[in-house]
Amino acid sequence: MEIIRILALSGSLREASYNSAAIEAMQVLAPDNIEIDICSIGNLPLFNPDREGERIPSLDKLVQALKNSDGLIIASPEYAHGVSGPMKNALDWLVSGVEFPYKLIMLINTSPRASHAQESLREILKTMSGIVVEKASVSIPLLSSELGVSGIVKNIEMSITLMAGLNEFCAEIERQKLNKRVN
Ligand SMILES: Cc1cc2nc3c(=O)[nH]c(=O)nc-3n(C[C@H](O)[C@H](O)[C@H](O)COP(=O)(O)O)c2cc1C
């Protein structure tokens, strides 16, 4: 059984973050052949192009995790109609690297009313040559739900939505791997 390795990032630094809870719930729900590695972006310094090439442990860890992954899951909130600062900061650090281009990406939106940030995030990811897998990207209405990880896992509709997205995502990852093998 081939293992599929996925890196998951939350764009929220909040302790009780719905976005972090959603990716943690996916970690719990995922079958054994899908490893979801959650990497924190909260310790990254503010992006400064002058520091590119410097040894920054939190960045090295993120880059290594991205390099080892077959795909990337992003769950990120909207603040003032924009992408969260921590997520934009993390993406800016990854712009110049070789690890990001052509990476398959699944987006999770935990607040279906938050369309501006999702649209902007898609534009950023496209500009960075990432590939958003639309049929794998899902919305779950977590805002104001008071649900944490176990609440999401126990919520049948939400866990089905998350797992259906993950299945589509992994099918696309398998297709990409097969394409690389035959071409
Ligand atoms: C300062 C601030 C600005 C926000 N702006 C928006 C917004 O423009 N649109 C929106 O849909 N939600 C907005 N929200 C709501 C957050 O997106 C929401 O609380 C989300 O759950 C935060 O993500 P988290 O639960 O993962 O921390 C805002 C929240 C804060 C604290």
Short mmCIF file of all heavy atoms in Angstrom, two decimals, residues 1-59:
data_model
loop_
_atom_site.label_atom_id
_atom_site.label_comp_id
_atom_site.label_asym_id
_atom_site.label_seq_id
_atom_site.Cartn_x
_atom_site.Cartn_y
_atom_site.Cartn_z
N MET A 1 0.85 -1.20 0.00
CA MET A 1 0.00 0.00 0.00
C MET A 1 0.89 1.25 0.00
O MET A 1 1.69 1.43 0.91
CB MET A 1 -0.89 -0.02 1.26
CG MET A 1 -1.87 1.12 1.32
SD MET A 1 -3.11 0.88 2.62
CE MET A 1 -2.13 0.78 4.10
N GLU A 2 0.74 2.04 -1.06
CA GLU A 2 1.58 3.24 -1.13
C GLU A 2 1.00 4.35 -0.24
O GLU A 2 -0.20 4.62 -0.27
CB GLU A 2 1.66 3.72 -2.57
CG GLU A 2 2.89 4.58 -2.78
CD GLU A 2 3.06 5.04 -4.23
OE1 GLU A 2 2.35 4.50 -5.10
OE2 GLU A 2 3.86 5.94 -4.46
N ILE A 3 1.89 4.95 0.53
CA ILE A 3 1.46 6.03 1.44
C ILE A 3 1.38 7.35 0.68
O ILE A 3 2.27 7.68 -0.10
CB ILE A 3 2.48 6.18 2.60
CG1 ILE A 3 2.63 4.88 3.40
CG2 ILE A 3 2.12 7.35 3.52
CD1 ILE A 3 1.49 4.54 4.32
N ILE A 4 0.31 8.09 0.90
CA ILE A 4 0.19 9.43 0.33
C ILE A 4 0.48 10.41 1.46
O ILE A 4 -0.12 10.34 2.54
CB ILE A 4 -1.22 9.66 -0.25
CG1 ILE A 4 -1.45 8.73 -1.44
CG2 ILE A 4 -1.42 11.12 -0.66
CD1 ILE A 4 -2.82 8.86 -2.08
N ARG A 5 1.46 11.29 1.22
CA ARG A 5 1.85 12.24 2.27
C ARG A 5 1.33 13.63 1.93
O ARG A 5 1.61 14.16 0.86
CB ARG A 5 3.37 12.29 2.40
CG ARG A 5 3.92 11.01 2.93
CD ARG A 5 5.40 11.06 3.27
NE ARG A 5 5.74 9.84 3.98
CZ ARG A 5 5.96 8.68 3.39
NH1 ARG A 5 5.88 8.59 2.08
NH2 ARG A 5 6.24 7.60 4.09
N ILE A 6 0.58 14.19 2.88
CA ILE A 6 -0.02 15.50 2.64
C ILE A 6 0.39 16.46 3.76
O ILE A 6 0.35 16.11 4.95
CB ILE A 6 -1.56 15.37 2.59
CG1 ILE A 6 -1.96 14.49 1.38
CG2 ILE A 6 -2.22 16.74 2.46
CD1 ILE A 6 -3.43 14.15 1.33
N LEU A 7 0.80 17.66 3.36
CA LEU A 7 1.11 18.70 4.34
C LEU A 7 -0.15 19.56 4.50
O LEU A 7 -0.79 19.92 3.50
CB LEU A 7 2.27 19.56 3.83
CG LEU A 7 2.57 20.83 4.63
CD1 LEU A 7 3.05 20.50 6.04
CD2 LEU A 7 3.61 21.69 3.91
N ALA A 8 -0.52 19.86 5.74
CA ALA A 8 -1.70 20.71 5.97
C ALA A 8 -1.28 21.96 6.75
O ALA A 8 -0.53 21.88 7.73
CB ALA A 8 -2.77 19.94 6.73
N LEU A 9 -1.78 23.11 6.30
CA LEU A 9 -1.47 24.38 6.96
C LEU A 9 -2.75 25.10 7.34
O LEU A 9 -3.68 25.20 6.54
CB LEU A 9 -0.67 25.29 6.00
CG LEU A 9 0.65 24.77 5.43
CD1 LEU A 9 1.24 25.80 4.47
CD2 LEU A 9 1.64 24.45 6.56
N SER A 10 -2.77 25.63 8.56
CA SER A 10 -3.89 26.47 8.98
C SER A 10 -3.40 27.92 8.97
O SER A 10 -2.31 28.22 9.45
CB SER A 10 -4.34 26.10 10.39
OG SER A 10 -5.19 27.12 10.91
N GLY A 11 -4.22 28.80 8.46
CA GLY A 11 -3.87 30.22 8.40
C GLY A 11 -4.27 30.97 9.66
O GLY A 11 -4.18 32.20 9.70
N SER A 12 -4.72 30.25 10.68
CA SER A 12 -5.13 30.93 11.92
C SER A 12 -4.20 30.54 13.06
O SER A 12 -3.84 29.38 13.21
CB SER A 12 -6.56 30.53 12.28
OG SER A 12 -6.87 31.00 13.58
N LEU A 13 -3.85 31.50 13.88
CA LEU A 13 -2.99 31.24 15.04
C LEU A 13 -3.84 31.11 16.31
O LEU A 13 -3.31 30.91 17.40
CB LEU A 13 -1.98 32.38 15.23
CG LEU A 13 -1.12 32.74 14.02
CD1 LEU A 13 -0.08 33.80 14.39
CD2 LEU A 13 -0.42 31.51 13.46
N ARG A 14 -5.15 31.23 16.18
CA ARG A 14 -6.05 31.20 17.33
C ARG A 14 -6.07 29.80 17.95
O ARG A 14 -6.14 28.80 17.23
CB ARG A 14 -7.46 31.57 16.83
CG ARG A 14 -8.32 32.34 17.78
CD ARG A 14 -9.45 32.99 16.99
NE ARG A 14 -10.31 32.03 16.33
CZ ARG A 14 -11.31 31.36 16.92
NH1 ARG A 14 -11.57 31.57 18.20
NH2 ARG A 14 -12.05 30.52 16.23
N GLU A 15 -6.04 29.78 19.29
CA GLU A 15 -6.06 28.51 20.03
C GLU A 15 -7.26 27.63 19.60
O GLU A 15 -7.12 26.46 19.32
CB GLU A 15 -6.13 28.84 21.54
CG GLU A 15 -6.04 27.65 22.46
CD GLU A 15 -4.63 27.05 22.53
OE1 GLU A 15 -3.66 27.82 22.39
OE2 GLU A 15 -4.54 25.83 22.69
N ALA A 16 -8.45 28.27 19.58
CA ALA A 16 -9.67 27.50 19.26
C ALA A 16 -10.06 27.67 17.79
O ALA A 16 -11.25 27.72 17.46
CB ALA A 16 -10.81 27.96 20.17
N SER A 17 -9.06 27.74 16.93
CA SER A 17 -9.31 27.99 15.50
C SER A 17 -10.15 26.89 14.84
O SER A 17 -9.85 25.70 14.96
CB SER A 17 -7.97 28.10 14.78
OG SER A 17 -8.11 27.86 13.40
N TYR A 18 -11.18 27.31 14.10
CA TYR A 18 -11.98 26.36 13.31
C TYR A 18 -11.15 25.77 12.17
O TYR A 18 -11.31 24.60 11.81
CB TYR A 18 -13.21 27.05 12.73
CG TYR A 18 -14.25 27.43 13.75
CD1 TYR A 18 -14.68 28.75 13.88
CD2 TYR A 18 -14.82 26.47 14.59
CE1 TYR A 18 -15.65 29.10 14.81
CE2 TYR A 18 -15.77 26.81 15.54
CZ TYR A 18 -16.19 28.13 15.64
OH TYR A 18 -17.13 28.47 16.57
N ASN A 19 -10.29 26.59 11.59
CA ASN A 19 -9.47 26.11 10.47
C ASN A 19 -8.47 25.05 10.93
O ASN A 19 -8.30 24.02 10.28
CB ASN A 19 -8.75 27.30 9.80
CG ASN A 19 -9.72 28.14 9.01
OD1 ASN A 19 -10.10 27.78 7.90
ND2 ASN A 19 -10.16 29.25 9.58
N SER A 20 -7.84 25.31 12.10
CA SER A 20 -6.91 24.30 12.63
C SER A 20 -7.68 23.04 13.01
O SER A 20 -7.22 21.91 12.75
CB SER A 20 -6.17 24.84 13.86
OG SER A 20 -5.50 26.03 13.53
N ALA A 21 -8.87 23.22 13.61
CA ALA A 21 -9.68 22.06 14.00
C ALA A 21 -10.06 21.22 12.78
O ALA A 21 -10.06 19.99 12.84
CB ALA A 21 -10.93 22.52 14.75
N ALA A 22 -10.38 21.90 11.67
CA ALA A 22 -10.79 21.17 10.46
C ALA A 22 -9.65 20.27 9.96
O ALA A 22 -9.88 19.11 9.61
CB ALA A 22 -11.21 22.15 9.37
N ILE A 23 -8.41 20.80 9.94
CA ILE A 23 -7.32 19.95 9.42
C ILE A 23 -6.94 18.87 10.44
O ILE A 23 -6.56 17.77 10.07
CB ILE A 23 -6.09 20.76 8.92
CG1 ILE A 23 -5.52 21.68 9.98
CG2 ILE A 23 -6.41 21.52 7.67
CD1 ILE A 23 -4.25 22.40 9.52
N GLU A 24 -7.10 19.17 11.74
CA GLU A 24 -6.84 18.13 12.75
C GLU A 24 -7.89 17.02 12.65
O GLU A 24 -7.59 15.84 12.82
CB GLU A 24 -6.81 18.74 14.16
CG GLU A 24 -5.52 19.49 14.44
CD GLU A 24 -5.56 20.28 15.74
OE1 GLU A 24 -6.07 19.76 16.74
OE2 GLU A 24 -5.09 21.44 15.72
N ALA A 25 -9.12 17.40 12.35
CA ALA A 25 -10.18 16.39 12.18
C ALA A 25 -9.86 15.52 10.96
O ALA A 25 -10.09 14.30 10.98
CB ALA A 25 -11.53 17.08 12.00
N MET A 26 -9.32 16.12 9.91
CA MET A 26 -8.96 15.33 8.73
C MET A 26 -7.87 14.32 9.06
O MET A 26 -7.89 13.18 8.58
CB MET A 26 -8.48 16.24 7.60
CG MET A 26 -9.61 17.04 7.02
SD MET A 26 -9.12 17.89 5.55
CE MET A 26 -9.19 16.59 4.35
N GLN A 27 -6.95 14.75 9.92
CA GLN A 27 -5.88 13.84 10.37
C GLN A 27 -6.48 12.62 11.08
O GLN A 27 -6.05 11.50 10.87
CB GLN A 27 -5.01 14.61 11.37
CG GLN A 27 -3.55 14.35 11.26
CD GLN A 27 -2.75 15.21 12.22
OE1 GLN A 27 -3.26 15.74 13.20
NE2 GLN A 27 -1.48 15.34 11.93
N VAL A 28 -7.50 12.87 11.90
CA VAL A 28 -8.16 11.78 12.64
C VAL A 28 -8.94 10.88 11.68
O VAL A 28 -8.92 9.65 11.81
CB VAL A 28 -9.13 12.37 13.71
CG1 VAL A 28 -9.92 11.28 14.40
CG2 VAL A 28 -8.37 13.21 14.73
N LEU A 29 -9.63 11.50 10.72
CA LEU A 29 -10.53 10.75 9.83
C LEU A 29 -9.81 10.01 8.70
O LEU A 29 -10.34 9.03 8.17
CB LEU A 29 -11.55 11.70 9.20
CG LEU A 29 -12.61 12.30 10.14
CD1 LEU A 29 -13.27 13.52 9.50
CD2 LEU A 29 -13.66 11.25 10.49
N ALA A 30 -8.61 10.46 8.35
CA ALA A 30 -7.93 9.90 7.16
C ALA A 30 -7.59 8.43 7.36
O ALA A 30 -7.20 8.01 8.45
CB ALA A 30 -6.65 10.69 6.89
N PRO A 31 -7.73 7.64 6.28
CA PRO A 31 -7.34 6.22 6.37
C PRO A 31 -5.82 6.09 6.55
O PRO A 31 -5.07 7.05 6.35
CB PRO A 31 -7.80 5.64 5.03
CG PRO A 31 -7.95 6.81 4.12
CD PRO A 31 -8.25 8.01 4.96
N ASP A 32 -5.39 4.86 6.92
CA ASP A 32 -3.97 4.63 7.28
C ASP A 32 -2.98 4.96 6.16
O ASP A 32 -1.83 5.27 6.44
CB ASP A 32 -3.77 3.16 7.67
CG ASP A 32 -4.42 2.86 9.01
OD1 ASP A 32 -4.79 3.83 9.71
OD2 ASP A 32 -4.57 1.68 9.35
N ASN A 33 -3.42 4.84 4.91
CA ASN A 33 -2.46 5.10 3.82
C ASN A 33 -2.31 6.58 3.48
O ASN A 33 -1.59 6.95 2.57
CB ASN A 33 -2.86 4.32 2.56
CG ASN A 33 -4.17 4.83 1.97
OD1 ASN A 33 -5.12 5.10 2.71
ND2 ASN A 33 -4.21 4.99 0.67
N ILE A 34 -3.05 7.44 4.22
CA ILE A 34 -2.91 8.89 3.97
C ILE A 34 -2.37 9.55 5.24
O ILE A 34 -3.02 9.56 6.28
CB ILE A 34 -4.27 9.52 3.58
CG1 ILE A 34 -4.82 8.83 2.33
CG2 ILE A 34 -4.11 11.02 3.34
CD1 ILE A 34 -6.23 9.27 1.96
N GLU A 35 -1.14 10.05 5.13
CA GLU A 35 -0.51 10.71 6.29
C GLU A 35 -0.66 12.22 6.14
O GLU A 35 -0.20 12.80 5.16
CB GLU A 35 0.98 10.37 6.33
CG GLU A 35 1.26 9.06 7.01
CD GLU A 35 2.75 8.72 7.01
OE1 GLU A 35 3.59 9.59 6.73
OE2 GLU A 35 3.03 7.55 7.28
N ILE A 36 -1.31 12.83 7.13
CA ILE A 36 -1.47 14.29 7.08
C ILE A 36 -0.55 14.90 8.15
O ILE A 36 -0.71 14.67 9.34
CB ILE A 36 -2.94 14.71 7.28
CG1 ILE A 36 -3.80 14.11 6.16
CG2 ILE A 36 -3.07 16.23 7.31
CD1 ILE A 36 -5.27 14.45 6.23
N ASP A 37 0.41 15.67 7.66
CA ASP A 37 1.40 16.30 8.54
C ASP A 37 1.00 17.77 8.69
O ASP A 37 0.89 18.50 7.71
CB ASP A 37 2.76 16.15 7.84
CG ASP A 37 3.87 16.87 8.56
OD1 ASP A 37 3.74 17.12 9.77
OD2 ASP A 37 4.89 17.20 7.91
N ILE A 38 0.75 18.19 9.93
CA ILE A 38 0.36 19.59 10.15
C ILE A 38 1.59 20.38 10.58
O ILE A 38 2.28 19.99 11.52
CB ILE A 38 -0.75 19.69 11.21
CG1 ILE A 38 -2.02 18.96 10.73
CG2 ILE A 38 -1.07 21.15 11.53
CD1 ILE A 38 -3.14 18.90 11.74
N CYS A 39 1.87 21.44 9.88
CA CYS A 39 3.05 22.25 10.18
C CYS A 39 2.59 23.64 10.61
O CYS A 39 1.74 24.25 9.95
CB CYS A 39 3.93 22.32 8.93
SG CYS A 39 5.53 23.03 9.19
N SER A 40 3.15 24.12 11.70
CA SER A 40 2.74 25.45 12.18
C SER A 40 3.46 26.54 11.39
O SER A 40 4.65 26.42 11.09
CB SER A 40 3.09 25.56 13.66
OG SER A 40 3.01 26.91 14.04
N ILE A 41 2.72 27.60 11.07
CA ILE A 41 3.36 28.72 10.36
C ILE A 41 3.50 29.93 11.28
O ILE A 41 3.96 30.99 10.88
CB ILE A 41 2.57 29.12 9.07
CG1 ILE A 41 1.11 29.48 9.41
CG2 ILE A 41 2.61 27.98 8.06
CD1 ILE A 41 0.35 30.05 8.21
N GLY A 42 3.10 29.74 12.56
CA GLY A 42 3.08 30.86 13.50
C GLY A 42 4.45 31.34 13.95
O GLY A 42 4.57 32.46 14.44
N ASN A 43 5.48 30.50 13.78
CA ASN A 43 6.82 30.90 14.23
C ASN A 43 7.68 31.50 13.12
O ASN A 43 8.83 31.86 13.36
CB ASN A 43 7.57 29.70 14.81
CG ASN A 43 6.91 29.21 16.08
OD1 ASN A 43 6.32 30.01 16.82
ND2 ASN A 43 6.97 27.92 16.33
N LEU A 44 7.12 31.58 11.93
CA LEU A 44 7.92 32.15 10.84
C LEU A 44 8.12 33.65 11.09
O LEU A 44 7.19 34.34 11.51
CB LEU A 44 7.18 31.99 9.49
CG LEU A 44 7.03 30.57 8.94
CD1 LEU A 44 6.08 30.58 7.74
CD2 LEU A 44 8.38 30.01 8.55
N PRO A 45 9.32 34.16 10.81
CA PRO A 45 9.49 35.61 10.92
C PRO A 45 8.71 36.32 9.82
O PRO A 45 8.27 35.66 8.86
CB PRO A 45 11.00 35.81 10.73
CG PRO A 45 11.48 34.59 10.01
CD PRO A 45 10.54 33.47 10.35
N LEU A 46 8.54 37.62 9.94
CA LEU A 46 7.87 38.36 8.86
C LEU A 46 8.74 38.27 7.62
O LEU A 46 9.97 38.38 7.70
CB LEU A 46 7.66 39.82 9.26
CG LEU A 46 6.58 40.08 10.31
CD1 LEU A 46 6.50 41.57 10.64
CD2 LEU A 46 5.22 39.59 9.82
N PHE A 47 8.09 38.08 6.49
CA PHE A 47 8.84 37.88 5.25
C PHE A 47 9.70 39.10 4.92
O PHE A 47 9.24 40.24 4.95
CB PHE A 47 7.88 37.62 4.09
CG PHE A 47 8.58 37.47 2.77
CD1 PHE A 47 9.49 36.44 2.57
CD2 PHE A 47 8.37 38.37 1.74
CE1 PHE A 47 10.17 36.30 1.37
CE2 PHE A 47 9.03 38.23 0.53
CZ PHE A 47 9.93 37.20 0.35
N ASN A 48 10.95 38.82 4.63
CA ASN A 48 11.88 39.86 4.21
C ASN A 48 12.80 39.25 3.16
O ASN A 48 13.59 38.35 3.47
CB ASN A 48 12.70 40.33 5.44
CG ASN A 48 13.73 41.37 5.08
OD1 ASN A 48 13.99 41.62 3.89
ND2 ASN A 48 14.33 41.97 6.09
N PRO A 49 12.68 39.69 1.91
CA PRO A 49 13.50 39.10 0.84
C PRO A 49 15.00 39.14 1.15
O PRO A 49 15.75 38.29 0.68
CB PRO A 49 13.17 39.95 -0.39
CG PRO A 49 11.84 40.54 -0.09
CD PRO A 49 11.78 40.75 1.40
N ASP A 50 15.43 40.12 1.97
CA ASP A 50 16.87 40.19 2.32
C ASP A 50 17.30 38.96 3.12
O ASP A 50 18.49 38.66 3.18
CB ASP A 50 17.15 41.44 3.19
CG ASP A 50 17.03 42.72 2.39
OD1 ASP A 50 17.06 42.64 1.15
OD2 ASP A 50 16.90 43.79 3.02
N ARG A 51 16.33 38.30 3.75
CA ARG A 51 16.68 37.14 4.60
C ARG A 51 16.58 35.81 3.87
O ARG A 51 16.82 34.76 4.46
CB ARG A 51 15.79 37.12 5.85
CG ARG A 51 16.03 38.33 6.75
CD ARG A 51 15.33 38.16 8.08
NE ARG A 51 15.88 37.03 8.83
CZ ARG A 51 15.36 36.57 9.96
NH1 ARG A 51 14.28 37.14 10.46
NH2 ARG A 51 15.90 35.56 10.59
N GLU A 52 16.17 35.87 2.58
CA GLU A 52 16.07 34.61 1.82
C GLU A 52 17.47 34.01 1.69
O GLU A 52 18.43 34.74 1.42
CB GLU A 52 15.45 34.86 0.45
CG GLU A 52 13.94 35.05 0.52
CD GLU A 52 13.27 35.17 -0.82
OE1 GLU A 52 13.65 36.11 -1.56
OE2 GLU A 52 12.41 34.36 -1.13
N GLY A 53 17.61 32.74 1.94
CA GLY A 53 18.93 32.10 1.90
C GLY A 53 19.52 31.96 3.29
O GLY A 53 20.47 31.21 3.49
N GLU A 54 18.96 32.68 4.27
CA GLU A 54 19.40 32.56 5.66
C GLU A 54 18.86 31.26 6.25
O GLU A 54 17.83 30.76 5.80
CB GLU A 54 18.76 33.72 6.44
CG GLU A 54 19.64 34.39 7.45
CD GLU A 54 18.89 35.54 8.12
OE1 GLU A 54 18.21 35.29 9.12
OE2 GLU A 54 18.98 36.69 7.62
N ARG A 55 19.57 30.69 7.26
CA ARG A 55 19.04 29.49 7.93
C ARG A 55 17.99 29.93 8.95
O ARG A 55 18.31 30.58 9.93
CB ARG A 55 20.15 28.72 8.66
CG ARG A 55 21.16 28.04 7.76
CD ARG A 55 20.64 26.76 7.09
NE ARG A 55 19.67 26.00 7.86
CZ ARG A 55 19.96 25.00 8.67
NH1 ARG A 55 21.20 24.64 8.86
NH2 ARG A 55 18.99 24.34 9.28
N ILE A 56 16.75 29.64 8.69
CA ILE A 56 15.66 29.98 9.61
C ILE A 56 14.97 28.65 9.94
O ILE A 56 14.29 28.07 9.08
CB ILE A 56 14.67 30.98 8.95
CG1 ILE A 56 15.40 32.27 8.56
CG2 ILE A 56 13.49 31.28 9.88
CD1 ILE A 56 14.59 33.23 7.71
N PRO A 57 15.17 28.11 11.17
CA PRO A 57 14.68 26.76 11.48
C PRO A 57 13.20 26.53 11.16
O PRO A 57 12.84 25.51 10.58
CB PRO A 57 14.97 26.61 12.98
CG PRO A 57 16.15 27.51 13.20
CD PRO A 57 15.95 28.68 12.28
N SER A 58 12.33 27.48 11.52
CA SER A 58 10.89 27.28 11.27
C SER A 58 10.60 27.21 9.76
O SER A 58 9.73 26.45 9.32
CB SER A 58 10.06 28.40 11.92
OG SER A 58 10.55 29.65 11.50
N LEU A 59 11.35 27.98 8.98
CA LEU A 59 11.16 27.96 7.52
C LEU A 59 11.74 26.67 6.93
O LEU A 59 11.11 26.04 6.07
CB LEU A 59 11.82 29.20 6.89
CG LEU A 59 11.73 29.28 5.37
CD1 LEU A 59 10.27 29.37 4.91
CD2 LEU A 59 12.51 30.49 4.85
#
